[in-house]
Short mmCIF file of all heavy atoms in Angstrom, two decimals:
data_model
loop_
_atom_site.label_atom_id
_atom_site.label_comp_id
_atom_site.label_asym_id
_atom_site.label_seq_id
_atom_site.Cartn_x
_atom_site.Cartn_y
_atom_site.Cartn_z
N GLU A 102 154.70 80.64 95.39
CA GLU A 102 153.43 80.19 94.83
C GLU A 102 152.31 81.08 95.35
O GLU A 102 152.23 81.36 96.55
CB GLU A 102 153.15 78.74 95.21
CG GLU A 102 151.90 78.20 94.60
CD GLU A 102 151.67 76.74 94.93
OE1 GLU A 102 152.42 76.17 95.72
OE2 GLU A 102 150.70 76.18 94.38
N GLU A 103 151.48 81.52 94.43
CA GLU A 103 150.32 82.32 94.80
C GLU A 103 149.17 81.96 93.88
O GLU A 103 149.31 82.02 92.65
CB GLU A 103 150.64 83.82 94.68
CG GLU A 103 149.56 84.69 95.26
CD GLU A 103 149.98 86.16 95.30
OE1 GLU A 103 151.16 86.44 95.53
OE2 GLU A 103 149.09 87.00 95.12
N ASN A 104 148.06 81.55 94.47
CA ASN A 104 146.87 81.15 93.71
C ASN A 104 147.19 80.06 92.68
O ASN A 104 146.70 80.11 91.55
CB ASN A 104 146.22 82.35 93.03
CG ASN A 104 145.76 83.39 94.03
OD1 ASN A 104 145.30 83.05 95.11
ND2 ASN A 104 145.90 84.65 93.67
N GLY A 105 148.04 79.13 93.04
CA GLY A 105 148.37 78.02 92.15
C GLY A 105 149.37 78.34 91.06
O GLY A 105 149.66 77.50 90.22
N GLU A 106 149.89 79.56 91.04
CA GLU A 106 150.87 79.96 90.03
C GLU A 106 152.20 80.28 90.70
O GLU A 106 152.24 80.83 91.80
CB GLU A 106 150.38 81.15 89.23
CG GLU A 106 149.18 80.84 88.37
CD GLU A 106 148.84 81.97 87.42
OE1 GLU A 106 149.65 82.91 87.27
OE2 GLU A 106 147.76 81.92 86.82
N LEU A 107 153.28 79.95 90.00
CA LEU A 107 154.62 80.23 90.51
C LEU A 107 155.16 81.51 89.89
O LEU A 107 154.94 81.79 88.72
CB LEU A 107 155.58 79.09 90.16
CG LEU A 107 155.30 77.74 90.80
CD1 LEU A 107 156.31 76.71 90.30
CD2 LEU A 107 155.35 77.82 92.30
N SER A 108 155.87 82.29 90.69
CA SER A 108 156.59 83.45 90.17
C SER A 108 157.97 83.46 90.80
O SER A 108 158.17 82.98 91.92
CB SER A 108 155.84 84.75 90.47
OG SER A 108 155.70 84.92 91.86
N ILE A 109 158.92 84.01 90.07
CA ILE A 109 160.29 84.10 90.58
C ILE A 109 160.36 85.25 91.58
O ILE A 109 159.95 86.36 91.29
CB ILE A 109 161.29 84.33 89.42
CG1 ILE A 109 161.25 83.14 88.46
CG2 ILE A 109 162.71 84.53 89.97
CD1 ILE A 109 162.07 83.33 87.21
N ILE A 110 160.87 84.95 92.77
CA ILE A 110 161.00 85.96 93.82
C ILE A 110 162.09 86.95 93.43
O ILE A 110 163.17 86.56 93.01
CB ILE A 110 161.35 85.30 95.16
CG1 ILE A 110 160.24 84.35 95.60
CG2 ILE A 110 161.61 86.35 96.24
CD1 ILE A 110 160.62 83.52 96.80
N CYS A 111 161.81 88.21 93.56
CA CYS A 111 162.80 89.28 93.37
C CYS A 111 163.39 89.33 91.96
O CYS A 111 164.52 89.78 91.77
CB CYS A 111 163.92 89.18 94.40
SG CYS A 111 163.37 89.50 96.08
N GLY A 112 162.65 88.89 90.97
CA GLY A 112 163.10 89.01 89.59
C GLY A 112 164.49 88.46 89.37
O GLY A 112 164.78 87.31 89.68
N VAL A 113 165.38 89.29 88.89
CA VAL A 113 166.73 88.87 88.54
C VAL A 113 167.50 88.33 89.75
O VAL A 113 168.36 87.47 89.62
CB VAL A 113 167.49 90.04 87.86
CG1 VAL A 113 167.79 91.16 88.84
CG2 VAL A 113 168.77 89.55 87.21
N MET A 114 167.18 88.81 90.95
CA MET A 114 167.89 88.36 92.14
C MET A 114 167.45 86.96 92.58
O MET A 114 168.10 86.33 93.40
CB MET A 114 167.70 89.35 93.29
CG MET A 114 168.25 90.74 93.00
SD MET A 114 170.02 90.75 92.73
CE MET A 114 170.59 90.42 94.38
N GLY A 115 166.35 86.48 92.04
CA GLY A 115 165.84 85.16 92.39
C GLY A 115 166.36 84.05 91.51
O GLY A 115 165.86 82.92 91.55
N VAL A 116 167.38 84.35 90.69
CA VAL A 116 167.99 83.34 89.83
C VAL A 116 169.50 83.39 90.02
O VAL A 116 170.10 84.46 89.97
CB VAL A 116 167.66 83.59 88.34
CG1 VAL A 116 168.34 82.57 87.44
CG2 VAL A 116 166.16 83.57 88.12
N GLU A 117 170.09 82.23 90.25
CA GLU A 117 171.54 82.12 90.42
C GLU A 117 172.08 81.08 89.45
O GLU A 117 171.47 80.03 89.27
CB GLU A 117 171.88 81.68 91.85
CG GLU A 117 171.34 82.59 92.91
CD GLU A 117 171.41 82.00 94.31
OE1 GLU A 117 171.59 80.77 94.44
OE2 GLU A 117 171.27 82.77 95.25
N GLU A 118 173.19 81.38 88.84
CA GLU A 118 173.86 80.39 88.00
C GLU A 118 174.76 79.55 88.89
O GLU A 118 175.49 80.08 89.73
CB GLU A 118 174.69 81.05 86.91
CG GLU A 118 175.37 80.03 86.02
CD GLU A 118 176.26 80.66 84.96
OE1 GLU A 118 176.06 81.85 84.64
OE2 GLU A 118 177.16 79.97 84.49
N ILE A 119 174.70 78.24 88.72
CA ILE A 119 175.55 77.33 89.48
C ILE A 119 176.73 76.95 88.60
O ILE A 119 176.55 76.43 87.51
CB ILE A 119 174.78 76.06 89.88
CG1 ILE A 119 173.53 76.43 90.67
CG2 ILE A 119 175.68 75.13 90.68
CD1 ILE A 119 172.59 75.28 90.90
N SER A 120 177.93 77.22 89.07
CA SER A 120 179.12 76.90 88.28
C SER A 120 179.59 75.49 88.59
O SER A 120 179.10 74.83 89.50
CB SER A 120 180.23 77.92 88.55
OG SER A 120 180.68 77.80 89.87
N GLU A 121 180.56 75.01 87.81
CA GLU A 121 181.05 73.65 87.96
C GLU A 121 181.69 73.39 89.32
O GLU A 121 181.69 72.27 89.80
CB GLU A 121 182.05 73.33 86.85
CG GLU A 121 181.39 73.24 85.49
CD GLU A 121 182.36 72.94 84.38
OE1 GLU A 121 183.48 72.48 84.67
OE2 GLU A 121 181.99 73.17 83.23
N ASP A 122 182.23 74.41 89.97
CA ASP A 122 182.84 74.21 91.28
C ASP A 122 181.80 74.33 92.40
O ASP A 122 182.13 74.44 93.57
CB ASP A 122 183.99 75.19 91.51
CG ASP A 122 183.53 76.64 91.58
OD1 ASP A 122 182.33 76.90 91.39
OD2 ASP A 122 184.38 77.50 91.82
N LEU A 123 180.50 74.28 92.03
CA LEU A 123 179.37 74.33 92.95
C LEU A 123 179.24 75.64 93.72
O LEU A 123 178.65 75.70 94.78
CB LEU A 123 179.41 73.15 93.94
CG LEU A 123 179.27 71.77 93.31
CD1 LEU A 123 179.28 70.71 94.39
CD2 LEU A 123 178.01 71.68 92.48
N SER A 124 179.82 76.70 93.17
CA SER A 124 179.53 78.02 93.73
C SER A 124 178.41 78.61 92.88
O SER A 124 178.09 78.09 91.82
CB SER A 124 180.76 78.92 93.72
OG SER A 124 181.16 79.19 92.40
N TYR A 125 177.81 79.65 93.34
CA TYR A 125 176.74 80.27 92.56
C TYR A 125 177.14 81.69 92.22
O TYR A 125 177.99 82.28 92.85
CB TYR A 125 175.40 80.24 93.31
CG TYR A 125 175.37 81.15 94.51
CD1 TYR A 125 174.93 82.46 94.40
CD2 TYR A 125 175.80 80.71 95.75
CE1 TYR A 125 174.91 83.31 95.49
CE2 TYR A 125 175.80 81.55 96.85
CZ TYR A 125 175.36 82.83 96.70
OH TYR A 125 175.35 83.68 97.78
#
Side-chain angles (χ1 to χ4, degrees):
E102 184 177 6
E103 189 172 325
N104 299 324
E106 293 189 11
L107 295 177
S108 61
I109 298 173
I110 298 171
C111 293
V113 69
M114 298 298 290
V116 178
E117 303 167 343
E118 181 183 339
I119 303 170
S120 66
E121 291 179 18
D122 66 357
L123 296 182
S124 65
Y125 69 91

